[in-house]
Amino acid sequence: MTRLIGASVERSANLPHLTGASRFVADIQRDGQVHARIVRSPVAHARILGIDTGEAEAVPGVIAVITAADLPDVRIPIRLAMAETPMANRFLQPPLARDVVRYVGEPLAVVVATDPYLAEDAAELVDVDLEELDVVANLGSGAPVVHQEAGGNVVVTVPLRSGDVDAAFAKADVVVRDRLRVHRHTAVPMETRGLVAEVDQNSGRLTLWGAAKVKHFTRQALSDMLGIGRDRIRLVEGNVGGGFGVRGEPYPEDFLIAFLALRLGRPVKWVEDRAEHFVATNHAREQEHELEIAATADGRLLAFRDLARCDQGAYVRSQGILPALLPALHLAGPYRWEAFSIESTGVITNRTPVGTYRGPGMTEATFVRERMLDRLAAELGLDPAEIRRRNLIPPDALPFTFAPAPGSADAPTTYESGDFPACLDHLLARAGYEDLCRLRDSRRAAGECVGIGLATYTEVGSMGPFEEARIVPTTNGRFVVHVGVASLGQGVETVLAQIAAEALAVPMEAVSIDHRDTDALANGFGAFASRSTTLAGNAIVLAAQDLRRRAAERLGVDPADVEFSSGRAMAESGAPVALHELGEGYGRFDKPHPSFSFGAALSFVSVDRGTGRVRVLRHLVLHDVGRAVNPELLRGQLAGAAAQGIGGTLLEELCYDEQGQPQSTTFADYRMPTVEDLPEIEVIIAEYPTPANPLGVKGGGESGMVATPAAIANAVADALGGAKVTALPLTAERVLDLLRGEDDHTWRNSRS
Amino acid sequence: MFVIPGEWLAADEAAGIDLTVNDQALRFDAPPRRTLADALRDNGFTGVRVGCEQGSCGTCTVLVDDQPVRSCLVLAVQAEDSSVETVEGLAGEAELHALQRAFHEHGALQCGFCTPGFLMLAAGLLRGDPKASPERVREVLAANLCRCTGGLPILRAVLAAQRELLEEETR
């Protein structure tokens, strides 16, 4: 039997995509379906005085118009226990605005018509009477209070402390401090969201197509909000056109479309348009940090203090306090600190709510920390690689945990495996770091503006609580493997089929992975926090063992001697048993603590002094994935994530004006990278298996993102020769400001 | 070509549109304001994907009389008497088009949503300019967006397919 784990098996999902046969949610057609259009708030903050739906209802073809008055008084719940607090629950979003609208794009009403064009026409006739209120348009403005019932705009303050910070600062030879900012940007998958809901008139069961990421949770949330048993709700995931964190969370529309199908007794379809997507689907990343780092004269890191303000947008959505919690978990990174103190505060603004986007919190924290490490290195006259090398946690200190100090939030940050310094050296060797420095110097001498930037990171992943797997042998000798994770286009079905086939010792072709239907598996937690391969993969291994054990009992042999072949389970002795007579194999893999992984990025950039345009000439990402199940697919994930990171650093920004009006609602205003903006990404996979799961794998789907903005920002700062790079994005306009020696004008629109 | 208008059609009154899609003569009944992208999808060509409806992302790219066109920016009625090609017509009877094979071999797709648009954009380029320089190929591919791969694997795939097609021609 050839080993499948570790082999770059071809993606199984490609053929229908190449021929146009794949089915995305917009391709779902149900008999008698009608089309919904959401009426959204045109202003950022207002009291709703009235909504007149009469004119819209009178349009021929319009079937229904609903407002909050038609709905039960429910809120979209928080998904993860670690992201939920009693205070956060006071800021949850109703499916349609009640009494007050709090961001541009907030759903106010829904129009249902026989044709989507008609629904869109009629939606413009819904007359909303709004009394505008003052707006919290950025992180700095504390007033007015956006949710009166909550009493303030602070959702949460996460304190994370380790060691004696004051004592460590007292020993410092040097302290660097600054204010740093990461801008609002987000995932923007090529497929917008969409849903089709239908109620079976005989069984009364509701089916919702268009599910993704966390189907089972969304089913539970809908069950609670609609007040019907979850056994009456089925969520189906078709092809999904990218997720990157934002797609598949329960949104207002998931409730609304399901509610309308129940109320109207007809299939209801909704496909988000791109302009809606830019205001309706979760935003991410915006935060400001005041960070100070203490070190000794020989470049040994002692301690840091960080005060963070993290934008939650107008409501706390299903990801709860993660926008404030995740940066806190990643500020310490892979370095040995004597002490640190973090206060990360999540605040409400009158803008689209914030969720998680690939590498959430960790990308922002890495930018903030790594930018300041370069400042420190410059102050001490150390090479950026050297200051990192001197402070990375050495391999003999693993497993490593930062012991929490009194008053600290509970944060299970344990680094289980790896060799951080060896990985850094590997990256530097692959980059040809010394030669690259010489190249930079010679190009500079010739008048070019070029720079090198480096960054390292830790990344939480493989998050629990658990996943299950069922392996069902079929009468034709195949194995259907049901899992509760999801595919967003990343190739997880191929990776899980490799694991299943190897565990069963059968060819890949004998295995199919089913992740599409909540009816197929009782529980499932979904595809987030780079967990699918670890959690579902290990559950599959356990399910395969269970199936083997069943076969061994029937055959009277040791489980290791069982062979599955030609539709039968057999061994040296005993009469072969038909596979489908074995029953099914079941496995459940529990993961009480997440696993952290390590990685690094290096970027070589040039800056056009005339235009401010930054070009990434080389970009390398290294990631320790524990064990690469499919190296080629992993490379694709790492390179794709790095490409997004380059876009987020240099091009993309969700801008708002002072009235909270979004300024980036088209692809012309929200510039995403194309082949013209990107270099070939150089990917390095490191494999230090973790002891925390039998497969030894850690996450990898987000990792190419995490250090990319930090590395590019450090490279731009290096190119600019000490200019004060403290804020992202580094668009041409902002880099021009820096070239002119002006303070980055990012700050003009921010708190000052 | 001038069309003498007869009776005006209402916004949602269907117009009969004669056109060819993937070498098949068809008649679409679509209201005058319906986009070509939506009309193609209504008629089963769901490989045409709608990513922005603003002409920016290129997921809806099809060929109209051999030229890559963003079908969200064209009204279906404007395609009267045209020859439209969609991804459904790209493969031959026996095997995939060189571009489709190259996309598979070079990791040029992940979620697959943008794939048909890129395939048709590249097919149009290589048909009109078979020997397009790598710089030209890169420039043209920058017209469309791919969020999963960033687009570099797509560039590699198109260049590989171009080599294969040129070799076939010289054989």
Side-chain angles (χ1 to χ4, degrees):
Chain A
M1 192 71 213
T2 48
R3 294 298 304 266
L4 288 167
I5 295 175
S8 289
V9 173
E10 290 183 10
R11 277 165 54 96
S12 58
N14 279 0
L15 186 63
H17 288 317
L18 291 163
T19 60
S22 45
R23 307 282 286 171
F24 292 86
V25 64
D27 305 330
I28 305 272
Q29 308 289 348
R30 306 300 300 174
D31 282 344
Q33 74 188 10
V34 291
H35 300 267
R37 176 76 185 179
I38 316 286
V39 179
R40 298 182 183 277
S41 174
V43 299
H45 198 192
R47 195 166 289 113
I48 304 169
L49 302 179
I51 302 179
D52 183 353
T53 60
E55 203 181 337
E57 282 165 333
V59 173
V62 169
I63 290 159
V65 183
I66 59 165
T67 68
D70 298 295
L71 303 183
D73 188 7
V74 294
R75 301 287 184 278
I76 314 281
I78 294 172
R79 176 162 58 81
L80 294 165
M82 69 184 283
E84 188 174 357
T85 68
M87 188 63 181
N89 280 332
R90 296 190 188 179
F91 297 92
L92 302 183
Q93 183 168 7
L96 291 174
R98 306 185 83 86
D99 307 323
V100 176
V101 286
R102 297 183 170 89
Y103 63 96
V104 173
E106 179 167 4
L108 277 162
V110 190
V111 175
V112 183
T114 51
D115 176 273
Y117 285 46
L118 275 181
E120 195 166 338
D121 286 348
E124 293 190 2
L125 301 175
V126 173
D127 188 14
V128 184
D129 191 6
L130 298 171
E131 180 187 66
E132 289 198 48
L133 301 168
D134 287 344
V135 167
V136 180
N138 59 53
L139 273 174
S141 52
V145 171
V146 177
H147 294 255
Q148 288 302 332
E149 59 280 16
N153 291 339
V154 171
V155 174
V156 67
T157 294
V158 179
L160 216 55
R161 297 190 190 108
S162 184
D164 185 339
V165 175
D166 292 340
F169 267 83
K171 289 192 289 192
D173 298 313
V174 56
V175 173
V176 290
R177 61 173 67 90
D178 215 329
R179 206 145 59 89
L180 301 108
R181 175 177 193 274
V182 180
H183 61 301
R184 198 173 249 259
H185 58 293
T186 193
V188 196
M190 294 314 301
E191 185 200 16
T192 57
R193 290 180 300 135
L195 299 157
V196 180
E198 181 176 24
V199 179
D200 183 295
Q201 295 306 325
N202 295 318
S203 66
R205 285 193 89 211
L206 171 80
T207 300
L208 189 69
W209 289 268
K213 185 179 177 179
V214 293
K215 293 183 288 293
H216 285 82
F217 176 74
T218 301
R219 180 182 63 169
Q220 183 63 52
L222 289 176
S223 165
D224 293 343
M225 288 190 289
L226 293 165
I228 61 175
R230 72 175 191 183
D231 57 334
R232 280 186 57 200
I233 307 175
R234 173 183 172 223
L235 267 68
V236 182
E237 172 194 329
N239 284 116
V240 174
F244 320 115
V246 299
R247 184 203 302 282
E249 293 286 336
Y251 279 89
E253 295 86 355
D254 294 70
F255 172 87
L256 294 169
I257 303 307
F259 174 87
L260 283 163
L262 285 161
R263 165 172 278 209
L264 300 175
R266 296 181 73 165
V268 179
K269 181 171 183 173
W270 169 74
V271 177
E272 184 181 57
D273 73 25
R274 184 58 66 184
E276 279 186 290
H277 181 88
F278 275 114
V279 295
T281 298
N282 285 344
H283 288 182
R285 294 272 198 273
E286 181 165 350
Q287 45 195 260
E288 294 178 13
H289 292 255
E290 287 173 45
L291 176 64
E292 55 180 343
I293 293 179
T296 62
D298 60 352
R300 190 162 57 83
L301 298 177
L302 292 168
F304 70 88
R305 292 192 188 99
D306 183 71
L307 284 176
R309 283 173 74 81
C310 306
D311 193 358
Q312 293 266 355
Y315 291 95
V316 171
R317 276 195 177 158
S318 55
Q319 289 158 320
I321 63 165
L322 292 185
L325 175 62
L326 287 173
L329 285 184
H330 291 89
L331 272 161
Y335 305 107
R336 199 199 270 273
W337 304 95
E338 286 184 15
F340 58 78
S341 165
I342 302 161
E343 264 187 36
S344 184
T345 300
V347 299
I348 292 288
T349 62
N350 284 116
R351 299 181 294 188
T352 295
V354 168
T356 59
Y357 165 38
R358 205 173 201 176
M362 54 203 80
T363 303
E364 300 91 305
T366 299
F367 164 73
V368 165
R369 180 191 62 241
E370 297 293 314
R371 190 72 273 285
M372 290 297 279
L373 283 189
D374 267 23
R375 297 274 292 278
L376 182 65
E379 196 122 329
L380 295 170
L382 282 173
D383 184 273
E386 185 53 31
I387 196 163
R388 290 174 173 83
R389 198 181 276 125
R390 285 184 193 180
N391 289 286
L392 286 171
I393 297 166
D396 57 13
L398 302 185
F400 181 93
T401 304
F402 291 109
S408 178
D410 182 34
T413 33
T414 299
Y415 307 151
E416 293 151 351
S417 69
D419 187 335
F420 306 167
C423 283
L424 176 63
D425 285 341
H426 188 175
L427 174 74
L428 295 171
R430 279 285 290 276
Y433 186 64
E434 284 167 22
D435 286 345
L436 193 61
C437 289
R438 277 192 287 276
L439 176 68
R440 170 196 60 191
D441 296 344
S442 65
R443 286 176 72 158
R444 261 185 205 165
E448 275 191 88
C449 185
V450 289
I452 299 171
L454 183 63
T456 76
Y457 63 89
T458 53
E459 175 192 350
V460 72
S462 301
M463 215 176 259
F466 68 87
E467 280 298 332
E468 296 174 318
R470 286 170 54 213
I471 302 182
V472 182
T474 65
T475 48
N476 60 359
R478 295 173 48 77
F479 300 86
V480 180
V481 183
H482 300 284
V483 291
V485 295
S487 177
L488 300 136
Q490 74 276 54
V492 69
E493 57 289 322
T494 303
V495 166
L496 295 181
Q498 287 175 254
I499 294 170
E502 180 161 320
L504 294 165
V506 300
M508 283 276 289
E509 300 74 52
V511 170
S512 56
I513 301 292
D514 169 36
H515 50 81
R516 299 211 182 277
D517 195 331
T518 52
D519 276 3
L521 198 68
N523 300 293
F525 293 88
F528 61 95
S530 293
R531 68 189 294 281
S532 295
T533 302
T534 308
L535 274 288
N538 281 290
I540 287 170
V541 171
L542 295 172
Q545 286 168 2
D546 185 41
L547 198 63
R548 241 170 221 293
R549 201 158 42 235
R550 285 163 180 279
E553 277 169 21
R554 292 283 294 271
L555 293 165
V557 299
D558 191 80
D561 296 330
V562 171
E563 199 183 316
F564 298 117
S565 178
S566 317
R568 297 180 301 176
M570 55 185 102
E572 297 269 304
S573 61
V577 183
L579 277 182
H580 63 272
E581 288 174 22
L582 286 177
E584 59 182 64
Y586 169 80
R588 167 175 160 150
F589 182 69
D590 283 83
K591 189 89 171 46
H593 304 294
S595 289
F596 281 77
S597 53
F598 172 84
L602 187 144
S603 208
F604 180 46
V605 306
S606 71
V607 177
D608 184 317
R609 284 203 188 84
T611 64
R613 182 177 178 189
V614 177
R615 288 211 76 106
V616 180
L617 305 173
R618 282 185 71 190
H619 192 75
L620 295 90
V621 290
L622 174 144
H623 183 68
D624 173 13
V625 72
R627 193 169 165 211
V629 177
N630 187 320
E632 217 33 56
L633 293 196
L634 179 63
R635 283 174 195 286
Q637 289 300 302
L638 291 167
Q644 289 181 349
I646 291 171
T649 309
L650 301 178
L651 302 170
E652 301 167 29
E653 181 169 21
L654 292 159
C655 301
Y656 280 82
D657 74 7
E658 286 163 12
Q659 268 64 53
Q661 282 291 339
Q663 307 294 298
S664 323
T665 58
T666 72
F667 280 130
D669 298 308
Y670 191 84
R671 257 276 277 135
M672 303 215 302
T674 69
V675 277
E676 290 276 43
D677 303 298
L678 298 167
E680 198 67 64
I681 310 290
E682 300 169 57
V683 172
I684 305 162
I685 297 171
E687 295 181 274
Y688 293 90
T690 171
N693 69 77
L695 287 171
V697 296
K698 308 172 194 173
E702 309 175 58
S703 317
M705 168 70 76
V706 183
T708 289
I712 295 172
N714 281 341
V716 171
D718 182 43
L720 297 182
K724 202 175 151 186
V725 176
T726 54
L728 297 178
L730 292 164
T731 55
E733 188 186 17
R734 293 196 173 109
V735 173
L736 261 188
D737 282 350
L738 292 168
L739 279 162
R740 292 180 186 131
E742 290 169 18
D743 239 9
D744 184 338
H745 84 210
T746 309
W747 293 107
R748 286 180 217 152
N749 294 330
S750 179
R751 166 168 75 119
S752 51
Chain B
M1 185 182 64
F2 290 94
V3 178
I4 311 295
E7 294 287 304
W8 288 97
L9 291 171
D12 292 296
E13 200 175 333
I17 304 157
D18 293 305
L19 76 173
T20 305
V21 183
N22 301 332
D23 291 331
Q24 197 186 347
L26 294 174
R27 186 179 175 87
F28 285 0
D29 288 313
R33 64 169 172 166
R34 203 135 188 105
T35 64
L36 178 59
D38 284 345
L40 285 165
R41 292 178 51 76
D42 290 344
N43 284 276
F45 300 98
T46 51
V48 179
R49 305 273 159 64
V50 178
C52 73
E53 298 178 282
Q54 296 161 342
S56 294
C57 75
T59 59
C60 65
T61 304
V62 298
L63 301 185
V64 177
D65 298 331
D66 293 324
Q67 295 297 317
V69 159
R70 296 179 181 219
S71 59
C72 73
L73 292 187
V74 178
L75 296 173
V77 291
Q78 292 176 284
E80 169 114 87
D81 297 332
S82 300
S83 170
V84 176
E85 292 169 71
T86 72
V87 73
E88 286 89 348
L90 190 59
E93 300 255 312
E95 66 168 354
L96 295 177
H97 189 277
L99 279 166
Q100 292 168 314
R101 275 182 275 118
F103 269 52
H104 179 63
E105 283 157 19
H106 289 84
L109 65 155
Q110 288 180 23
C111 81
F113 192 79
C114 74
T115 307
F118 268 105
L119 284 168
M120 299 316 288
L121 179 69
L125 170 68
L126 296 183
R127 188 181 298 173
D129 187 2
K131 294 180 179 167
S133 67
E135 294 72 28
R136 175 66 185 151
V137 174
R138 190 180 187 117
E139 183 183 52
V140 169
L141 293 179
N144 283 17
L145 293 172
C146 169
R147 194 55 156 168
C148 295
T149 73
L152 261 300
I154 297 174
L155 176 63
R156 281 199 297 271
V158 174
L159 292 173
Q162 183 189 34
R163 280 193 298 275
E164 191 188 317
L165 290 168
L166 287 173
E167 277 166 25
E168 267 173 29
E169 210 168 282
T170 55
R171 240 178 295 171

